Amino acid sequence: RRQKKTASHALTELENTKDCSQAGKPLFCPSHPTERLRLFCEQCDQPVCRDCVVDRHRQHPYDFTGNVIHRHGDALRELLKNTQQRMGTLEGVLSQIDDMGSAVHCRAEAVATEICLFASGYVKAIEEHRDRLLKQLEDLKVQKENLLHLRKAQLQQLLLDMRTGVEFTEHLLTSGSDLEILITKGVVASRLTKLNSIAYNTDPSVDDGILFSPQERAGQCCGYEVFGAILNKVVDPARCTLHGEDLHSARQNQLTGFTLLCSDTMGEQMRRGGEAVQVTIMHKDKRDCAVKPTVCDNGDGTYRISYNPEEPGLYAVCVYVKGQHVQGSPFTLMVKNKFREHQGVFHCCTFCSSGGQKAARCACGGTMPGGYQGCGHGHKGHPGCPHWSCCGQVKESSECLGGPPTDTSQRSLLRTVAL
């Protein structure tokens, strides 16, 4: 009551307002406390009193609250209806979010169970594959050791026989009489000759070529694809071979190549790639002229070597595997000049292909009577089969061997081609 703004306001105790309602009670203007709010200013969109209309809201459109309540109430009810609809939509979305959250939680638990089952099965498969690899390695080791033991026993027996024969012969020569030596000479010589004729390999015939390749596909194990395989084959450069139709010949500015087939120490083809293959192609006359080859690993023990020589001449080709020459390396390569295409026509005779032109010539050398400079069927010099008019070659897919023609013959050939 001591405040100026609230001095004229009606006050009541808070305990007395619990069950009271302001509905139906008159409302007074905050600017004119003695005046009731009975009018509504349309421009300011607020209730006003009579003094407000005369004072601050002069010339503003206004009307009694009872006359405008229906219009403004309907607008509020429409806004309320739209808001309620949006509230219902939002409640539905929130319900869907809650349902989706529950579904995500359940799905995550199900996927986690699947992952655990998959991982446990994968671990079991890997462990089984590991045991299988170790068993394979043990069998391979035992096999190699048995071969070495057998080889060792054979060589030890041969060495023992030789040592016995040598000791007996030395004793005979040092302690035996002349008659004893002559009597046993045949037997001793036969024994030593037999021992010397026994062939044996100086190599152990067994190598330690046991490798493990983690990237090698090992098939299926317990329904899972596993990797890792034991490789007991070792490439032998001396048994690697070169293959190709044009191994020793090539054409200038023409892509060509050959194939390298890698084999192991037993002569069997390697079924995997990854070997260190090096190829050099050097010109024999021009030291600064070299061809840069391309080595393509096919992954099955074969390698495709491609190159494109730019200079004709004789080249030296070296192919290395693990730094050693392969079988047939080094070898010579003859690069011929670029393929010369035919400038004439492949015909039966010049008389037919030129339409009977007397000036048309042919490189086969045939002539016809009556002043014709070209060849004809059955006449002198005709090769008896279709041939090229520019060089006389009888093979259609051959290279042109004819030299540059003179102006006259060139015009005749061009005329022949056109006709």
Side-chain angles (χ1 to χ4, degrees):
R1 291 181 185 275
R2 290 193 297 267
Q3 299 295 328
K4 183 177 180 180
K5 291 185 178 182
T6 57
S8 61
H9 291 186
L11 304 178
T12 182
E13 297 292 337
L14 291 176
E15 288 78 2
N16 299 332
T17 61
K18 292 181 179 180
D19 298 329
C20 297
S21 175
Q22 296 296 326
K25 293 183 178 182
L27 298 177
F28 294 90
C29 179
S31 301
H32 307 93
T34 59
E35 294 292 333
R36 297 178 61 181
L37 298 173
R38 298 179 178 180
L39 303 173
F40 186 81
C41 179
E42 296 288 351
Q43 182 174 338
C44 298
D45 196 28
Q46 66 179 24
V48 294
C49 65
R50 289 186 306 172
D51 294 345
C52 292
V53 171
V54 176
D55 186 12
R56 291 183 301 174
H57 298 271
R58 184 182 302 171
Q59 296 181 354
H60 289 187
Y62 65 92
D63 200 351
F64 287 99
T65 56
N67 297 334
V68 299
I69 186 62
H70 299 291
R71 179 162 49 85
H72 291 278
D74 292 342
L76 284 176
R77 277 187 286 273
E78 186 66 25
L79 288 175
L80 176 63
K81 181 180 178 181
N82 294 336
T83 305
Q84 289 175 341
Q85 290 178 353
R86 292 177 65 86
M87 286 178 59
T89 304
L90 290 175
E91 289 176 352
V93 173
L94 290 174
S95 177
Q96 292 179 0
I97 291 176
D98 292 337
D99 295 341
M100 185 57 65
S102 300
V104 168
H105 180 73
C106 296
R107 185 57 185 164
E109 290 183 348
V111 172
T113 303
E114 293 179 4
I115 291 175
C116 293
L117 291 176
F118 172 80
S120 60
Y122 209 167
V123 170
K124 182 180 178 182
I126 293 176
E127 291 177 348
E128 183 173 335
H129 182 54
R130 175 201 61 193
D131 297 338
R132 189 168 60 186
L133 287 175
L134 293 177
K135 177 66 168 56
Q136 182 181 354
L137 177 62
E138 181 65 22
D139 294 343
L140 184 59
K141 185 192 73 170
V142 171
Q143 178 184 359
K144 288 181 175 291
E145 288 178 346
N146 289 339
L147 291 175
L148 288 174
H149 289 324
L150 178 61
R151 181 66 176 160
K152 183 178 180 180
Q154 293 174 347
L155 294 177
Q156 284 178 342
Q157 183 62 44
L158 179 59
L159 180 61
L160 179 60
D161 293 342
M162 287 184 175
R163 182 175 290 115
T164 303
V166 168
E167 291 176 353
F168 179 81
T169 305
E170 289 178 346
H171 180 71
L172 176 64
L173 292 176
T174 56
S175 303
S177 62
D178 296 342
L179 185 59
E180 291 174 340
I181 293 175
L182 293 175
I183 293 175
T184 58
K185 178 184 76 67
V187 177
V188 173
S190 176
R191 177 60 174 170
L192 293 178
T193 302
K194 183 178 180 180
L195 291 174
N196 291 330
S197 64
I198 296 178
Y200 60 91
N201 193 355
T202 57
D203 296 330
S205 71
V206 177
D207 54 45
D208 59 346
I210 303 177
L211 300 175
F212 175 69
S213 176
Q215 294 82 16
E216 195 82 14
R217 293 182 179 272
Q220 297 282 334
C221 184
C222 299
Y224 296 87
E225 186 178 6
V226 292
F227 294 83
I230 295 178
L231 308 176
N232 60 340
K233 287 186 176 183
V234 178
V235 65
D236 185 2
R239 294 182 180 271
C240 299
T241 55
L242 301 172
H243 303 272
E245 296 181 358
D246 299 330
L247 188 62
H248 298 280
S249 63
R251 286 283 182 179
Q252 180 185 5
N253 295 329
Q254 182 176 341
L255 184 64
T256 185
F258 54 90
T259 301
L260 169 64
L261 175 61
C262 291
S263 302
D264 61 3
T265 55
M266 302 301 293
E268 297 181 357
Q269 179 181 347
M270 301 290 293
R271 298 300 178 182
R272 57 180 174 85
E275 301 296 343
V277 178
Q278 295 179 340
V279 182
T280 61
I281 305 177
M282 300 294 297
H283 201 289
K284 285 196 171 185
D285 298 329
K286 301 178 181 179
R287 295 300 178 184
D288 57 343
C289 181
V291 179
K292 186 177 181 180
T294 301
V295 180
C296 178
D297 188 352
N298 297 325
D300 57 356
T302 61
Y303 300 81
R304 179 65 181 175
I305 294 93
S306 303
Y307 60 93
N308 189 359
E310 296 181 357
E311 293 288 337
L314 196 61
Y315 288 79
V317 182
C318 298
V319 183
Y320 306 92
V321 173
K322 292 185 176 180
Q324 302 180 25
H325 282 284
V326 301
Q327 190 178 130
S329 175
F331 63 91
T332 57
L333 169 68
M334 173 56 70
V335 177
K336 302 178 182 179
N337 291 319
K338 66 173 78 174
F339 189 86
R340 291 184 295 179
E341 297 183 357
H342 294 277
Q343 301 298 321
V345 291
F346 191 71
H347 58 187
C348 61
C349 71
T350 308
F351 180 79
C352 295
S353 63
S354 66
Q357 295 291 329
K358 290 187 176 183
R361 295 178 179 272
C362 185
C364 71
T367 59
M368 289 180 60
Y372 287 91
Q373 301 179 21
C375 62
H377 293 286
H379 292 281
K380 182 180 179 181
H382 189 276
C385 60
H387 54 280
W388 286 99
S389 63
C390 50
C391 63
Q393 287 271 67
V394 296
K395 188 176 180 182
E396 186 174 5
S397 59
S398 62
E399 179 185 6
C400 184
L401 301 180
T406 62
D407 295 339
T408 305
S409 60
Q410 179 69 17
R411 288 194 299 269
S412 299
L413 289 176
L414 289 176
R415 188 184 304 113
T416 304
V417 173
L419 290 173

